[in-house]
């Protein structure tokens, strides 16, 4: 009976873990009424497990190998020879790592959401026909066998250690054999802590504790990583200072049980290890029974959590005009909910601090203003992933309240985003303060980096809020997982693109990137406002159509890809004479890549009204050729005018020189590649997206302005005019063919005018 | 038609191929207590959510005091107090803080909001629990706090989803009395319920919704007389909502 119960419980838990990993996005198909999630199959969980295990194996491998080089005096070559057993110092270090892994496994288990879940599944299990002591035993069994963090940290480490000691293909079995008793210890402690804490602490306190445990576990994990990756880690110092009796504690015994050369030691260690684990588990169970002598009375019951009324709180007046009621509430939550506080304010600091701690090189790099700006921006952007990105998700079950207020939802979102941008400024400020204390003399480069980061704050607060809303899935099973991970990745992708603005060589590039990103933020905001009425709607959503945000995303992607490809190709080919060809190649590749990514995304989302090159009404060919002639006049006139009146002479000369270097490829680029890709982006997506919600004139003006700004300054005016002509062509024919012809005419005339003169 | 407070015309909501609410039309006048009856899953909550602008109707429209529930959402909410069927609140906030927050969000200045909060908590018997975290409240207390949130800006219209679900008999009686008092004070109340005795005791008029469609509407007495002579509202209800075989879409 008890075995069957244990089996069932373990199966239930495994099923839950599997579901957590394998349940993907909700299906958009018709007929789905409630939160039905679609399984993505067993592939994803399998991949996750395999990747994690492999990573752990690699880490253990390098940790032990490094330790052998450092402590046993092997060369790198000899360190991998597994027939040479580990020296005692290395063994001690592995023991410490095992102990750390046990700690991490315990802390991470306590740091899961389960601890803070107000519904305690023990209360439910207790209704099953099983005596309490058996129930506890079953529970322990389940905790031992299904501790994913424990298995992934301990098993590979001990197996690799066994392999080094010469256990060969038996290593995984030997590793598992000693992992189990260790997991038993961890499981007992977990069960004791879990149960004991629930009896003493209220759910809010438990959540705070959960946050602290998770954080401590993360620090432990970092320590383990540092032992494998760097030559000087705290772990090494600690291992050297361990007392002899540590070898007799369970982690020490586990490692010593893996020396196949010395059978008596193996048997003795195994016996001691299993004995200790069994004794510990038994006494733990007895203690638990004693703890639960009054039944499963949790501290979450209302009576015990009631605090004394605080009459002083009433009618209290503070300096409140500074923040709105909504912002005040948000700050109050931040101060009280430590899980939230840790995620938004502490974790970014810990991650950054860990980098400093384990990798001192970063500090010296910070004297470069560009690195300083990048670090400041990265920390801020990361922090926003937990604040602005969660504006809706953080409302949780209480979201309905926002719908009862006499204010449009978007104004509430804006208020929250504003608050978080101010809060997020803390990070760049701190990073710059640290960086400046290292810098010799801050110049205007530092000021420019700081200005860029400050400009990024509102932009990324908006982008974060928007992507958080767009990626929000109100039907996800778990409140805190409601933001789909893909959108978080998109956010991080955009953030990493923005760092390019910090590293760009010319201020013009930075300015363009900032402008484009700002325009993207605004276009995303437009889309959010489209989406808000459908927020809680399971069945309906605004139809997927090409919108401005697609165009802005594409333009940004194109811009960054192109710059990156030029840099990569120049590095690879390394010849200035090839510049023309490099430009052409980079341009064509970036265009093709952007085009491919966009078309794939449209196809996957089944977006309607994707711009096409064919079809159309009227006579696209005639319209295109006529307006193309007008475009040719504009560009030829502009080049002639530049030459006649001598403005932007240096730029013109450079362009002419480049043309002469590689006339054929430059002409191909200008007359063929550029029109085809740029028209898809700017007339197809940007103009088309704008046109959806605007009149022709404003859509044409705005799209032409964006089009002009991504071109070099000397051609600002004619390119703007080209944008207008192409917009007219697109508006009249509804196909991309006409604007492509206009663009080709314009560029052809420009190339001819430059070459012929 | 100045007396018409809630006007629902041909309201329809479908989720994919499933129609939750079909061509619903209703008109509710000032001072009425309208009971929206129906078995579980009949479309009551969907209708109410469309009234509150939480869901977008697939067809038709709803107006409150002449304002479109979808287009003029903010103005509608100024006039409506809403209680969902299972109100949930923020963790880490005390009952008093939540109510005061809601009051401030409705535009009350802080001292007035504090005053109003204290008064409402007192009236609803929540004073003792005011300094507790609302997430620790029992179901009944959460419902009361939700009701307080709905009443805090003194709206002329109340939309209540299962207002007495989960309350003990005394609390139920209490809510009934409060709703009667509110109605006497001229408020219009639209409440959904599947508790027939509540509808019988409280409502001036009821509508029975079944599988998304309104099957009958009228004063309780009238419905009883025409549809189940000599029977109770329960008989009416059971007769109107039998036959689950009808296709849903």
């Amino acid at each position: 009976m008890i075995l069957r119960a244990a089996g069932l419980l373990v199966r239930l838990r495994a099923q839950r873990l599997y579901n957590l990993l394998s349940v993907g996005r909700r299906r958009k198909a018709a007929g789905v009424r409630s939160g039905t999630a679609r399984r993505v199959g067993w592939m994803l969980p399998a991949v996750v497990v395999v990747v994690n295990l492999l990573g752990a194996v690699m880490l253990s491998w390098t940790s032990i190998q490094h330790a052998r080089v450092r402590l046993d005096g092997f060369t790198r070559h000899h360190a991998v020879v597994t027939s040479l057993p580990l020296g005692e110092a290395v063994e001690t270090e592995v023991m410490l790592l095992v102990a750390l892994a046990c700690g991490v496994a315990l802390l991470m288990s306590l740091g899961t959401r389960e601890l803070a879940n107000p519904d305690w599944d023990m209360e439910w299990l207790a209704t099953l026909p099983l005596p309490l002591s058996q129930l506890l035993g079953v529970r322990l069994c389940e905790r031992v066998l299904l501790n994913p963090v424990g298995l992934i940290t301990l098993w590979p480490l001990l197996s690799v250690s066994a392999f080094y000691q010469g256990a060969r293909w038996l290593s995984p079995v030997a590793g598992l054999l000693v992992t189990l008793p260790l997991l038993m210890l961890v499981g007992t402690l977990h069960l004791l802590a879990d149960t004991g804490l629930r009896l003493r602490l209220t759910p809010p306190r438990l959540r705070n504790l959960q946050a602290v445990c998770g954080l401590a576990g993360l620090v432990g994990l970092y320590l383990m990583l540092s032992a494998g990756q760097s030559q000087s880690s705290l772990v090494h110092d600690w291992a050297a200072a361990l007392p002899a009796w540590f070898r007799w504690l369970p982690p020490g015994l586990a490692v010593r049980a893996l020396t196949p050369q010395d059978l008596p030691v193996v048997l003795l260690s195994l016996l001691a290890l299993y004995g200790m684990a069994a004794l510990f588990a038994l006494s733990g169970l007895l203690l638990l029974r004693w703890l639960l002598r009054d039944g499963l009375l949790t501290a979450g019951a209302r009576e015990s959590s009631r605090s004394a009324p605080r009459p002083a709180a009433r009618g209290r007046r503070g300096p409140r005009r500074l923040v709105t009621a909504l912002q005040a509430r948000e700050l109050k939550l931040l101060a009280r909910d430590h899980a939230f506080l840790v995620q938004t304010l502490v974790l970014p600091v810990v991650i950054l601090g860990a980098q400093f701690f384990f990798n001192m090189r970063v500090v010296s790099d910070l004297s470069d203003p560009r690195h300083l700006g990048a670090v400041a921006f990265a920390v801020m952007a990361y922090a926003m992933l937990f604040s602005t990105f969660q504006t809706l998700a953080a409302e949780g079950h209480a979201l309905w309240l926002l719908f009862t207020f006499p204010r449009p939802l978007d104004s509430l979102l804006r208020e929250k985003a504003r608050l978080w941008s101010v809060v997020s400024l803390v990070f760049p400020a701190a990073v710059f303060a640290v960086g400046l204390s290292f810098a010799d003399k801050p110049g205007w480069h530092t000021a420019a980096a700081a200005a860029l980061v400050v400009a990024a704050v509102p932009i990324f607060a908006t982008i974060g809020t928007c992507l958080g809303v767009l990626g929000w899935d109100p039907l996800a099973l778990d409140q805190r997982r409601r933001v789909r991970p893909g959108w978080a990745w998109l956010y991080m992708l955009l953030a990493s693109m923005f760092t390019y603005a910090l590293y760009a060589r010319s201020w013009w590039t930075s300015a363009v990137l900032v402008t484009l990103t700002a325009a993207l933020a605004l276009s995303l905001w437009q889309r959010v406002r489209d989406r808000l009425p459908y927020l809680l709607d399971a069945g309906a959503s605004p139809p997927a159509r090409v919108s401005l945000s697609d165009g802005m995303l594409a333009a940004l992607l194109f811009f960054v890809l192109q710059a990156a490809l030029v840099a990569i190709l120049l590095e690879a080919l390394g010849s200035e004479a090839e510049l023309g060809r490099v430009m052409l190649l980079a341009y064509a590749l970036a265009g093709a890549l952007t085009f491919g990514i966009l078309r794939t995304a449209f196809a996957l989302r089944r977006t309607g009204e994707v711009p096409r090159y064919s079809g159309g009404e009227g006579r696209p060919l005639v319209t295109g050729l006529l307006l193309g002639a007008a475009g040719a006049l504009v560009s030829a006139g502009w080049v002639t005018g530049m030459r006649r009146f001598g403005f932007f002479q240096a730029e013109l000369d450079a362009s002419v020189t480049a043309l002469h270097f590689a006339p054929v490829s430059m002409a191909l680029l200008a007359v063929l590649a550029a029109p085809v890709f740029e028209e898809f982006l700017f007339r197809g997506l940007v103009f088309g997206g704008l046109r959806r919600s605007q009149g022709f004139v404003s859509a044409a003006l705005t799209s032409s302005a964006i089009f002009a700004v991504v071109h070099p300054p000397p051609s600002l005016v004619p390119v703007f005019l080209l944008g207008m002509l192409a917009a007219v062509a697109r508006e009249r024919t509804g196909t991309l063919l006409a604007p492509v012809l206009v663009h080709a005419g314009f560029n052809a005339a420009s190339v001819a005018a430059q070459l012929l003169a | 038609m100045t007396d018409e407070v809630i006007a629902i015309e041909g309201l329809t909501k479908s989720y994919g191929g499933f129609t939750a609410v079909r061509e619903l039309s209703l008109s509710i006048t000032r001072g009425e207590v309208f009971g929206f009856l129906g078995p579980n899953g009949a479309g009551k909550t969907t209708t109410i959510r469309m009234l509150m602008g939480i869901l977008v109707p697939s067809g038709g429209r709803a107006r409150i005091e002449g304002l479109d529930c979808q287009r003029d959402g903010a103005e509608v909410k100024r006039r409506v107090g809403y209680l969902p069927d299972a109100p949930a609140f923020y963790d880490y906030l005390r009952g008093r803080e939540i109510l005061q927050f809601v009051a401030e969000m409705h535009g009350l200045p802080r001292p007035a909001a504090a005053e109003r909060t204290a008064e409402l908590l007192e009236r609803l018997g929540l004073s003792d629990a005011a300094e507790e975290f609302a997430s620790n409240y029992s179901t009944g207390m959460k419902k009361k706090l939700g009701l307080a949130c709905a009443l805090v800006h003194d709206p002329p219209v109340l939309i209540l989803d299962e207002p007495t679900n989960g309350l003990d008999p005394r609390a139920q009686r209490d809510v009934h009395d409060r709703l009667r008092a509110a109605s006497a004070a001229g408020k219009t109340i639209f409440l959904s319920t599947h508790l027939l005795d509540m509808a019988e005791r409280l409502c001036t008029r009821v509508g029975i919704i079944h599988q998304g469609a309104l099957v009958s509407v009228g004063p309780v007495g009238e419905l009883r007389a025409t549809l189940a002579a000599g029977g109770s509202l329960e008989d009416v209800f059971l007769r109107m909502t039998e036959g689950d075989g009808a296709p849903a879409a």
Side-chain angles (χ1 to χ4, degrees):
Chain A
M1 177 65 196
I2 180 167
L3 280 182
R4 189 176 141 75
L8 284 174
L9 201 60
V10 169
R11 222 182 82 188
L12 189 74
R13 197 163 188 75
Q15 184 72 49
R16 189 175 163 270
L17 267 177
Y18 176 77
N19 286 349
L20 261 181
L21 283 174
S22 69
V23 172
R25 298 162 41 182
R26 84 194 142 101
R27 198 169 12 187
K28 283 238 172 101
V32 180
R33 200 182 152 209
S34 56
T36 321
R38 179 171 61 112
R39 283 184 188 287
V40 289
W42 54 270
M43 281 288 283
L44 187 63
V47 168
V48 169
V49 169
V50 167
V51 165
N52 273 303
L53 276 178
L54 274 181
V57 168
M58 290 305 296
L59 183 70
S60 316
W61 196 268
T62 50
S63 300
I64 294 179
Q65 198 182 315
H66 283 166
R68 272 158 78 93
V69 172
R70 194 161 28 84
L71 298 169
D72 288 355
F74 285 115
T75 60
R76 281 193 91 73
H77 179 67
H78 278 105
V80 288
V81 178
T82 53
S83 55
L84 303 167
L86 304 179
E88 200 174 301
V90 178
E91 245 182 44
T92 317
E93 203 167 299
V94 176
M95 288 172 191
L96 184 62
L97 282 179
V98 170
L100 263 177
C102 290
V104 169
L106 177 63
L107 287 170
M108 288 289 203
S109 321
L110 285 175
T112 57
R113 277 179 287 276
E114 200 183 319
L115 182 63
N117 197 334
D119 306 320
W120 191 19
D121 57 348
M122 269 297 262
E123 280 176 2
W124 171 67
L125 291 173
T127 62
L128 299 176
L130 214 63
L132 182 65
S133 52
Q134 286 186 27
L135 181 67
L136 289 172
V138 166
R139 190 75 209 233
L140 178 63
C141 236
E142 173 221 302
R143 289 273 152 93
V144 172
L145 293 177
L146 284 171
N147 182 341
V149 180
L151 264 181
I152 279 171
T153 48
L154 280 169
W155 188 24
L157 180 60
L158 288 163
S159 302
V160 170
S161 168
F163 196 75
Y164 269 110
Q165 299 280 31
R168 308 231 137 235
W169 303 112
L170 276 178
S171 311
V173 184
L176 195 60
L177 199 66
V178 292
T179 300
L180 283 178
L182 290 178
L183 285 180
M184 190 120 125
L185 293 171
V186 171
T188 310
L189 282 172
H190 181 191
L191 192 58
L192 269 173
D194 179 19
T195 314
L197 290 173
R198 274 188 189 272
L199 296 179
R200 299 270 178 282
L201 300 181
T202 56
R205 292 230 169 116
L206 280 176
R207 267 184 69 184
N208 290 342
L209 188 77
Q210 170 220 335
V212 174
C213 284
L215 197 65
L218 199 68
V219 172
L221 208 60
Y222 256 120
L223 274 174
M224 288 183 69
L225 288 175
S226 79
Q229 283 175 342
S230 90
Q231 284 299 325
S232 62
S233 157
L234 271 185
V235 178
H236 304 152
D237 304 336
W238 290 347
L242 277 182
W245 49 261
F246 187 81
R247 298 172 68 80
W248 289 97
L249 292 185
L253 288 171
V255 175
R256 283 166 65 182
L258 297 172
T259 44
Q261 300 85 358
D262 203 347
L263 202 61
V265 170
V266 170
L267 289 179
L268 198 70
S269 305
L270 269 183
L271 199 68
L273 184 59
Y274 272 86
M276 272 186 188
L279 201 67
F280 192 74
L282 208 64
S283 39
L285 288 182
L286 286 176
L287 179 62
L288 272 176
R289 254 184 66 179
W290 179 78
L291 277 174
L292 295 175
R293 65 198 180 282
D294 292 330
L296 303 173
L297 186 73
T298 59
R302 271 190 305 112
E303 286 71 24
S304 50
S305 74
R306 187 172 286 178
S307 63
R310 295 184 308 169
R314 219 167 263 168
R316 186 179 41 180
R317 276 171 218 207
R320 77 157 237 94
R321 290 298 152 218
L322 224 55
V323 289
T324 64
L326 189 68
Q327 291 169 336
R329 187 215 67 189
E330 201 73 357
L331 289 175
K332 210 177 273 174
L333 284 181
L334 186 67
R336 287 186 190 161
D337 183 349
H338 292 200
F340 188 32
L341 184 74
V342 163
Q343 273 190 332
T344 43
L345 292 178
V346 183
L347 210 58
V349 176
V350 168
I351 287 174
L352 191 75
Q355 285 305 323
F356 274 111
F357 196 73
F358 298 123
N359 191 358
M360 282 307 282
R361 210 170 60 85
V362 178
V363 177
S364 60
D365 283 352
L366 282 190
S367 52
D368 183 336
R370 290 177 307 173
H371 293 331
L372 190 64
V375 170
F377 169 71
V379 179
M380 182 206 75
Y382 181 78
M384 279 189 178
L385 200 52
F386 297 95
S387 52
T388 58
F389 206 79
Q390 312 281 345
T391 35
L392 266 187
E395 295 292 318
H397 293 292
L399 183 69
W400 67 274
L401 269 177
L402 292 191
F403 281 91
T404 68
F405 300 142
R407 299 259 310 269
L409 208 50
D410 59 327
S411 79
L412 298 175
L413 285 180
R414 247 198 331 258
E415 226 170 69
K416 283 184 84 169
R418 221 174 289 139
L419 170 74
W420 287 116
S421 0
V422 173
V423 171
S424 303
L425 266 175
V426 173
F427 298 105
V431 172
F432 270 97
V434 172
L436 288 182
S437 66
F438 282 100
D440 314 329
K441 45 171 187 179
W444 71 270
H445 276 294
T446 316
L452 273 177
V453 173
V454 171
V457 171
I459 295 177
F460 275 84
T462 311
I463 292 182
T465 307
C466 292
L467 293 181
V469 172
L470 293 173
W472 191 68
D473 182 0
L475 301 178
L477 299 169
D478 188 340
Q479 281 280 340
R480 302 202 155 225
R481 285 187 178 225
R482 282 187 170 182
V483 178
R484 294 190 204 106
W487 294 82
W489 292 340
L490 179 60
Y491 172 80
M492 287 192 267
L493 180 75
L494 288 173
S496 48
M497 278 185 181
F498 190 83
T499 44
Y500 178 63
L502 288 159
Y503 285 100
R505 290 215 186 103
S506 77
W507 64 270
W508 177 252
T509 317
S510 301
V512 169
L513 206 61
V514 172
T515 315
L516 280 185
T517 319
L520 174 72
L522 286 178
S523 66
L524 282 174
W525 180 245
Q526 221 174 27
R527 235 173 114 166
V528 163
R529 294 181 57 171
D530 280 354
R531 164 97 184 117
L532 281 179
Y534 295 90
L535 199 59
L536 290 181
D537 223 322
S541 55
R545 292 161 73 187
V546 168
S547 63
L548 177 60
S549 55
D550 297 321
M552 294 313 303
L553 263 177
L556 202 62
L557 187 66
F558 178 61
F559 192 67
V560 173
L561 271 180
Q562 194 192 339
L565 282 168
V566 167
I568 292 169
L569 290 172
L570 278 181
E571 188 78 21
L573 303 174
S575 155
E576 282 296 312
E578 295 286 327
L579 187 66
R581 212 158 293 167
V582 164
M583 293 286 287
L584 175 64
L585 204 59
Y587 193 94
L589 274 178
L593 269 175
T594 311
F595 187 76
I597 292 172
L598 262 280
R599 292 306 282 243
T600 315
F602 286 147
L604 286 178
R605 275 168 45 198
R606 297 203 189 83
T607 308
E609 299 161 32
V610 178
R612 290 147 55 98
Y613 291 101
S614 59
E617 53 211 43
R619 275 180 280 172
L621 207 62
V622 177
T623 313
L625 287 175
L626 277 177
L627 287 167
L633 280 180
V634 168
S635 68
W638 183 256
V639 172
T640 319
M642 273 168 95
R643 191 158 285 137
R644 164 84 44 93
F645 300 107
F647 50 94
F648 290 119
Q649 204 55 54
E651 283 87 349
L652 184 63
D653 289 343
S655 170
V656 172
T657 319
L659 269 178
H660 278 293
F661 261 128
V664 178
S665 45
M666 287 308 266
L668 274 178
L669 173 77
V671 183
L672 201 68
V676 170
F677 293 133
E678 286 190 356
E679 288 313 307
F680 180 71
L681 289 190
F682 291 99
R683 250 55 63 188
L685 302 184
V686 177
F687 171 74
L690 277 167
R691 187 71 184 85
R692 191 152 72 79
S693 49
Q694 288 182 12
F696 168 72
V697 176
S698 71
L701 284 173
T702 314
S703 68
S704 302
I706 294 174
F707 182 50
V709 92
V710 299
H711 282 79
S715 49
L716 210 61
V717 177
V719 165
F720 181 81
L721 291 175
L722 166 63
M724 294 302 286
L725 286 173
V728 172
R730 158 89 176 160
E731 177 78 7
R732 288 190 66 127
T733 64
T735 163
L736 287 180
L737 178 64
V740 165
L741 288 174
V742 177
H743 199 148
F746 177 94
N747 280 4
S750 166
V751 169
Q754 290 181 52
L755 282 179
L756 294 179
Chain B
M1 286 295 274
T2 48
D3 249 16
E4 187 181 49
V5 179
I6 304 181
I8 302 176
E9 295 154 16
L11 202 64
T12 300
K13 179 71 196 175
S14 35
Y15 301 104
F18 174 84
T19 307
V21 174
R22 199 175 324 150
E23 298 275 332
L24 186 75
S25 294
L26 269 177
S27 170
I28 292 150
T29 48
R30 195 167 302 283
E32 258 193 297
V33 180
F34 185 84
F36 201 40
L37 304 185
N40 299 325
K44 302 190 294 286
T45 298
T46 302
T47 306
I48 285 184
R49 291 181 143 219
M50 283 192 278
L51 288 181
M52 287 308 293
I54 299 177
L55 294 178
V56 186
S58 315
R61 64 178 187 155
R63 281 175 301 150
I64 291 179
E65 299 214 317
L67 296 160
D68 190 290
C69 291
Q70 204 57 45
R71 239 189 16 250
D72 315 311
E75 277 307 306
V76 165
K77 284 162 200 171
R78 215 180 282 287
R79 293 162 173 79
V80 173
Y82 166 61
L83 170 70
D85 55 348
F89 297 98
Y90 305 104
D91 291 350
Y92 299 100
L93 283 184
R94 306 175 207 285
R96 177 185 54 77
E97 292 170 338
I98 288 175
L99 191 52
Q100 187 167 333
F101 164 64
V102 173
E104 285 185 50
M105 289 303 288
H106 276 289
L108 268 71
R110 180 167 252 212
E115 211 168 283
R116 176 85 177 139
T117 300
E119 174 205 331
L120 265 176
L121 288 175
E122 184 73 47
R123 245 172 60 193
L124 289 171
L126 284 173
S127 295
D128 282 349
E131 298 302 326
E132 267 179 57
F133 286 150
S135 47
N136 290 346
Y137 280 11
S138 68
T139 316
M141 290 164 78
K142 279 186 185 162
K143 210 85 190 187
K144 280 189 194 170
L145 184 60
L147 194 60
C149 289
L151 294 170
V152 78
H153 53 302
D154 198 22
V157 182
L158 288 174
I159 295 183
L160 313 171
D161 201 353
E162 308 272 8
T164 56
N165 225 6
L167 297 187
D168 62 50
R170 183 178 299 279
Q172 278 190 24
R173 168 69 62 84
D174 209 41
V175 169
H176 287 184
D177 291 346
R178 256 168 237 303
L179 294 184
R180 244 182 242 120
S183 160
K187 291 194 192 308
T188 310
I189 302 176
F190 182 95
L191 60 88
S192 83
T193 182
H194 58 256
L195 302 174
L196 300 173
D197 59 329
M198 166 170 179
E200 197 143 24
R201 255 183 281 159
L202 205 61
C203 299
T204 47
R205 214 153 59 98
V206 297
I208 298 178
I209 182 173
H210 181 49
Q211 291 181 347
L214 198 64
V215 284
S216 64
V217 58
V220 180
E222 205 173 282
L223 281 188
R224 212 166 32 200
T226 53
L227 292 165
S232 63
L233 181 61
E234 187 175 355
D235 294 328
V236 177
F237 181 83
L238 290 177
R239 172 167 305 176
M240 296 316 299
T241 59
E242 67 194 354
D244 280 328

